[in-house]
Amino acid sequence: MTLDQLLRRGNNNADLLRLIAAAAVIWGHGYRLVPVPGVDDPIQNLLGFDYSGSLAVKFFFFLSGILVTNSWLSKPSAIRFASARVFRIFPLLIAASVATIVVMGPALTSLSTSDYFHHRAELVHVLLHPYNEYLLPGVFDHALYPHANGSIWTIKYELMLYALLLGAGMCGLFRYKPIAAAVLVTVIAVCLIRPENITAIGLSNVNAGGRLPAFFAFGALLALYKDRVRIDGRLCIGVALIAFAVRHGPAFEYAFCLAFLMTALWVMSLRVVKAIRLPGDFSYGVYVFGWPIQNTFANLFPKSGIHGNQAMTFVCALLLAVLSWFLLEKPCIALGHKIPAFFQRKNSAADAESSKALV
């Protein structure tokens, strides 16, 4: 089927693939937070250039590039686009930062509760910048990784890409497909070859973050030509053969990522995968809650082992994600969809009043 067909409701199971990707982030972090000498992520051992958590993040950015670009192309409304993104990202992000500050912080800090809350400037900074990885006073001071939430650093990259995409759309870039495609191909090439240039837009290349815009741009490029791009098993086998053929050279990394991303899209469309319907999109909650829970378990139960840490973290993060989806995220997403309609009604009413006045 074409990508256009795949993106239609009922023709994919993006929720399941995103949840698997969020679980892969927890899986990959387990080998860092509960290190065992000589034991590493199997994906890292197999590929040599990447590990499971990093691949999952690349998939998130790739899929996001497809979905948000398709959203803009379908309905190029700035209010609709911005409202949908803000009400999807920030409610959970703010709630999670409040929870870590008010619940996790006092419970785990080496300071007294009064001394902990005396660091008001630090705590307020976390609330004002919930999309940055952050430290809490006295929390994980002697841990291998001291960040209270060390996985959310990617969200500021995502927000920046949303803003750039919105700006490009409002400037009319997507009206001219060849020009838009040229811009996206340039972004892909520059970010893959010279990821340090990410500083040009005010972001750092932490954890190879400078490459993430390339995966987002690749998704946007596919969305731009969604009526021509075919996603099927033949394509996946073809790109896999190319990756296998160049496996001993530096081109393997790029060929593998291409094969991995296109295969993930194809898997989303399989009938057996579509049959596994989840009651909600729990991936974002698992991603945001994963690190605080995992680092807490790593410090409180260091003898639980890598897989024990991974299992306990995923179960707890999933439970919180389910609660978050039904109590917070789903209602906020619905609210985000209502706001553009509200402004549209207000504008229609104002136009009607203007017409009456002219008459």
Side-chain angles (χ1 to χ4, degrees):
M1 66 174 69
T2 64
L3 180 60
D4 186 28
Q5 294 170 323
L6 185 147
L7 292 175
R8 295 172 189 171
R9 186 181 297 276
N11 279 357
N12 68 77
N13 196 345
D15 289 347
L16 178 61
L17 268 290
R18 280 191 293 241
L19 181 59
I20 292 172
V25 172
I26 291 174
W27 174 272
H29 284 165
Y31 293 91
R32 270 70 175 169
L33 294 173
V34 192
V36 175
V39 178
D40 206 346
D41 179 8
I43 300 298
Q44 177 77 53
N45 292 333
L46 179 66
L47 298 178
F49 62 83
D50 216 342
Y51 77 104
S52 55
S54 177
L55 284 175
V57 170
K58 291 178 174 66
F59 170 72
F60 278 134
F61 274 74
F62 168 67
L63 186 60
S64 180
I66 292 175
L67 296 178
V68 299
T69 304
N70 184 61
S71 175
W72 175 264
L73 294 174
S74 301
K75 289 185 180 180
S77 164
I79 293 177
R80 179 180 176 274
F81 183 93
S83 178
R85 306 288 86 76
V86 167
F87 280 89
R88 181 66 185 103
I89 297 294
F90 281 99
L92 174 58
L93 205 55
I94 294 171
S97 63
V98 170
T100 55
I101 288 172
V102 176
V103 179
M104 190 182 85
L108 298 178
T109 184
S110 58
L111 308 175
S112 67
T113 302
S114 60
D115 286 344
Y116 171 81
F117 284 109
H118 187 69
H119 291 75
R120 294 187 186 89
E122 296 175 43
L123 301 179
V124 169
H125 180 79
V126 172
L127 291 175
L128 294 177
H129 305 86
Y131 42 79
N132 287 327
E133 55 184 350
Y134 52 83
L135 304 170
L136 291 179
V139 177
F140 302 143
D141 274 353
H142 304 292
L144 192 60
Y145 293 92
H147 289 97
N149 199 330
S151 60
I152 59 172
W153 65 270
T154 61
I155 294 177
K156 61 179 176 287
Y157 290 77
E158 188 89 7
L159 291 171
M160 175 64 79
L161 292 169
Y162 289 163
L164 292 173
L165 180 70
L166 176 58
M170 294 176 71
C171 290
L173 178 66
F174 294 105
R175 295 176 189 171
Y176 311 100
K177 282 189 178 182
I179 297 176
V183 171
L184 291 171
V185 169
T186 301
V187 171
I188 293 169
V190 170
C191 291
L192 288 181
I193 298 170
R194 298 292 299 274
E196 65 274 11
N197 287 336
I198 190 73
T199 55
I201 57 173
L203 296 173
S204 61
N205 191 25
V206 60
N207 295 325
R211 290 190 167 192
L212 294 180
F215 295 91
F216 185 93
F218 180 46
L221 182 64
L222 294 188
L224 192 64
Y225 291 97
K226 61 184 179 181
D227 55 334
R228 299 184 186 180
V229 175
R230 293 201 61 82
I231 308 296
D232 53 32
R234 181 178 178 179
L235 170 67
C236 296
I237 293 173
V239 290
L241 284 174
I242 292 172
F244 181 78
V246 300
R247 67 190 183 280
H248 298 304
F252 174 63
E253 180 178 352
Y254 306 105
F256 173 83
C257 286
L258 176 62
F260 164 67
L261 296 174
M262 300 310 291
T263 300
L265 278 185
W266 176 61
V267 169
M268 282 170 45
S269 70
L270 294 178
R271 184 175 300 177
V272 65
V273 175
K274 290 188 292 184
I276 308 172
R277 285 294 166 188
L278 301 176
D281 180 7
F282 308 131
S283 59
Y284 186 41
V286 170
Y287 184 78
V288 171
F289 290 122
W291 179 282
I293 295 171
Q294 192 163 21
N295 208 10
T296 298
F297 283 149
N299 285 276
L300 294 182
F301 310 107
K303 295 183 180 181
S304 63
I306 296 171
H307 299 317
N309 174 276
Q310 293 164 333
M312 291 189 299
T313 299
F314 179 73
V315 169
C316 292
L318 182 59
L319 289 174
L320 285 177
V322 171
L323 291 174
S324 170
W325 172 258
F326 288 108
L327 298 179
L328 179 66
E329 295 172 70
K330 188 176 180 180
C332 287
I333 290 172
L335 178 61
H337 290 158
K338 291 178 182 178
I339 287 178
F342 170 78
F343 280 104
Q344 187 175 11
R345 288 195 298 270
K346 292 279 287 185
N347 290 336
S348 298
D351 291 341
E353 288 295 326
S354 299
S355 299
K356 290 179 182 179
L358 290 174
V359 173

